[in-house]
Amino acid sequence: MIEIKTYCGHIRNWKLLCKELDIDNSLSRAEREEAIIIAAYKKWGGDMANHIYGMFSFALYDTDTDTLFCLRDQFGTKPFYYYVTDSGKLLYGTTIREIMESDGFHKKLNQKMLQIYLTMTYTTGEETFFEGVKKLLPGRFMTFKNGEIKITRYFRPTFEPDNSKTLDEWADDIHNTLAEIMTEVKSSDEYVESFLSGGVDSSYVLAVSDAPAANSCGYDDSRLDESGLARETADILGRKFNRCVITPQEYFDIVPYVMYNMEQPLGDASAVAFALGCIATAKGTGICYSGEGADEFFGGYNMYRN
């Protein structure tokens, strides 16, 4: 029997997998993705990583072989951590907090990370600021059996220049790829809004999406405020525009909350503003902004840097 122990993320190619694995695609997202993970593991084992794409990390337990199998997506969008106790027990989770709350964990500063952080302004590699807590790196899966950890790298990005197409042809490829991905990002019955900075990336994503509204952070100081350009973009695209004005007081008041939910320090001031924008958007759409949601958001944000 296969038991999913922890899961965080979203499988993008679920339609193809439902068809290939004979899964009812009318199930809710949570039920559907759990069924996909179990069926994919039964069919492909560790090679399931080469059949699934999206943003995800999870751990499942195979009772027949007494094996714990843990997988992190190709680019590490979703985090996954593990820790071995003095007694040899493996603690794991998609947040460090899950591990810290478990019996057998000893909280201790990993001083080796200080120099790395002060140099890079974020934590690199598999170690964390908590001694003994390690990250399963992107594009890897891990098995734990008979007290032994085995980590396998299943994905390695490569750079292969292709000069066979013109610039316009590459632009068309990018557009067609993004348009195709948009159908996988959300189902037709799901509601989304878009973040819009006024830059090229977010403007383009909004343009090819069906998001009815765009959300942007702004400041009273015009030297720092890009929301005017974002509003112009939203108007051109015919989308509703919401602007969250961030005051210095709000910014500094939320820093402890942001740092707590990130779990590890990150020297990127934009993360604080982004958090305020997320909270304002969630409130505006009536979405409940829970602690669990904060864990997932901040954990994912931090992992993008690794």
Side-chain angles (χ1 to χ4, degrees), residues 96 100 105 107-108 110 128-133 263-264:
I96 296 176
M100 293 176 65
F105 176 76
K107 185 178 179 181
K108 187 177 180 180
N110 183 0
T128 70
F129 261 92
F130 299 87
E131 190 170 292
V133 177
E263 299 190 319
Q264 295 195 86

Side-chain angles (χ1 to χ4, degrees), residues 62-78:
D62 185 343
T63 59
D64 294 334
T65 61
D66 190 25
T67 302
L68 184 74
F69 177 81
C70 311
L71 174 66
R72 190 174 177 199
D73 67 69
Q74 288 86 343
F75 294 99
T77 311
K78 294 299 181 182

Side-chain angles (χ1 to χ4, degrees), residues 143-158:
T143 59
F144 183 71
K145 183 177 181 179
N146 297 327
E148 181 180 351
I149 291 175
K150 182 181 179 180
I151 297 176
T152 302
R153 183 167 189 172
Y154 68 88
F155 175 77
R156 186 185 298 273
T158 58

Side-chain angles (χ1 to χ4, degrees), residues 25-37:
N25 62 14
S26 67
L27 296 171
S28 68
R29 176 186 287 188
E31 294 173 324
R32 181 179 69 221
E33 297 199 352
E34 180 175 335
I36 287 174
I37 291 171

Side-chain angles (χ1 to χ4, degrees), residues 2-301:
I2 310 299
E3 302 174 0
I4 295 182
K5 295 297 186 178
T6 185
Y7 173 70
C8 175
H10 175 38
I11 296 172
R12 300 300 193 201
N13 60 332
W14 61 270
K15 292 180 181 178
L16 176 64
L17 290 171
C18 281
K19 183 177 181 180
E20 188 168 0
L21 299 172
D22 194 25
I23 294 171
D24 182 3
N25 62 14
S26 67
L27 296 171
S28 68
R29 176 186 287 188
E31 294 173 324
R32 181 179 69 221
E33 297 199 352
E34 180 175 335
I36 287 174
I37 291 171
I38 292 174
Y41 181 79
K42 287 180 178 179
K43 182 172 183 177
W44 296 304
D47 193 49
M48 68 181 292
N50 295 311
H51 295 267
I52 300 176
Y53 68 83
M55 53 177 188
F56 50 81
S57 67
F58 64 81
L60 59 81
Y61 177 62
D62 185 343
T63 59
D64 294 334
T65 61
D66 190 25
T67 302
L68 184 74
F69 177 81
C70 311
L71 174 66
R72 190 174 177 199
D73 67 69
Q74 288 86 343
F75 294 99
T77 311
K78 294 299 181 182
F80 190 89
Y81 305 95
Y82 63 97
Y83 174 92
V84 179
T85 68
D86 294 339
S87 63
K89 180 181 179 181
L90 181 72
L91 307 179
Y92 55 89
T94 57
T95 65
I96 296 176
R97 195 173 301 112
E98 291 178 69
I99 295 173
M100 293 176 65
E101 294 170 351
S102 302
D103 293 335
F105 176 76
H106 300 296
K107 185 178 179 181
K108 187 177 180 180
L109 174 67
N110 183 0
Q111 297 187 24
K112 290 185 295 184
M113 297 306 296
L114 288 172
Q115 183 175 349
I116 293 175
Y117 173 73
L118 292 174
T119 302
M120 306 295 294
T121 71
Y122 62 93
T123 57
T124 64
E126 67 174 2
E127 293 198 43
T128 70
F129 261 92
F130 299 87
E131 190 170 292
V133 177
K134 294 185 177 181
K135 293 175 285 190
L136 180 61
L137 294 178
R140 274 101 165 154
F141 66 78
M142 179 178 78
T143 59
F144 183 71
K145 183 177 181 179
N146 297 327
E148 181 180 351
I149 291 175
K150 182 181 179 180
I151 297 176
T152 302
R153 183 167 189 172
Y154 68 88
F155 175 77
R156 186 185 298 273
T158 58
F159 179 65
E160 300 175 357
D162 182 355
N163 299 314
S164 65
K165 297 182 180 180
T166 66
L167 181 61
D168 287 341
E169 288 174 331
W170 280 117
D172 288 340
D173 275 359
I174 292 172
H175 178 78
N176 294 334
T177 299
L178 194 56
E180 180 181 350
I181 289 173
M182 283 297 168
T183 64
E184 299 178 342
V185 171
K186 61 176 286 292
S187 302
S188 58
D189 60 341
E190 294 177 321
Y191 178 82
V192 300
E193 293 188 4
S194 180
F195 286 112
L196 182 62
S197 68
V200 174
D201 294 350
S202 61
S203 298
Y204 192 61
V205 169
L206 177 63
V208 298
S209 76
D210 62 358
N215 302 277
S216 182
C217 294
Y219 307 91
D220 289 333
D221 190 336
S222 60
R223 297 172 301 173
L224 307 173
D225 187 18
E226 298 179 0
S227 62
L229 183 58
R231 182 184 294 276
E232 290 182 34
T233 303
D235 289 343
I236 291 172
L237 296 174
R239 314 296 174 91
K240 181 182 176 182
F241 182 76
N242 302 306
R243 178 173 179 257
C244 169
V245 180
I246 299 176
T247 67
Q249 186 66 45
E250 288 175 323
Y251 185 94
F252 288 108
D253 283 349
I254 203 173
V255 167
Y257 170 84
V258 173
M259 294 299 102
Y260 175 78
N261 283 286
M262 276 188 168
E263 299 190 319
Q264 295 195 86
L266 173 65
D268 186 347
S270 66
V272 180
F274 192 32
L276 287 166
C278 287
I279 293 172
T281 300
K283 289 180 178 178
T285 56
I287 298 172
C288 177
Y289 195 80
S290 66
E292 181 179 353
D295 289 344
E296 186 168 325
F297 162 69
F298 287 113
Y301 188 97

